[in-house]
Amino acid sequence: MSRNEDRAARGTDLEKIRARYGLFAVIVSNLAIAAVAIVGVWQLDGDKGVIIGILTAAFTAVSSLTTAYLGIKAVSNTAQSIALGDGAARRHAETAPAAPAAPPAQGAS
């Protein structure tokens, strides 16, 4: 195995570890937010206005955290694929000259 292949394999392993622990952090954070919201709702004894506020804030925090993680992960994956050369092939295909168009058929005058 060459050095570049070895480096790519280590990079892939590192990226898998980062993804696994990043997802773990998001799940634990979402569970913590849900637990705090449940305890807060339980302690309020039916004050509906405040309960709605707590649940709305918890839902916003969970959805924002999850969306941020998925967005950062998508950008990271795209940047990694470009860095590994996938983007070079795509750029070459986009900049290749197109076949010349056939001249329009001339009709009878």
Side-chain angles (χ1 to χ4, degrees), residues 65-77:
L65 184 67
T66 304
T67 303
Y69 170 75
L70 294 175
I72 291 169
K73 186 69 184 140
V75 170
S76 173
N77 290 345

Side-chain angles (χ1 to χ4, degrees), residues 4 9 11 14-15 28-30 35 53-55 58-59 63 66 68 78 82 91 105:
N4 289 338
L14 179 62
E15 192 60 33
V28 169
S29 299
N30 286 346
I54 288 175
L55 293 177
F59 178 77
S63 63
T66 304
T78 302
I82 290 172
R91 278 194 305 270

Side-chain angles (χ1 to χ4, degrees), residues 38-94:
I38 289 169
V39 169
V41 167
W42 178 59
Q43 292 292 323
L44 290 174
D45 294 327
D47 187 4
K48 292 185 189 218
V50 179
I51 289 174
I52 290 172
I54 288 175
L55 293 177
T56 301
F59 178 77
T60 302
V62 166
S63 63
S64 298
L65 184 67
T66 304
T67 303
Y69 170 75
L70 294 175
I72 291 169
K73 186 69 184 140
V75 170
S76 173
N77 290 345
T78 302
Q80 184 179 15
S81 69
I82 290 172
L84 291 176
D86 184 33
R90 214 178 285 153
R91 278 194 305 270
H92 179 67
E94 290 174 358

Side-chain angles (χ1 to χ4, degrees), residues 93 95-103:
T95 59

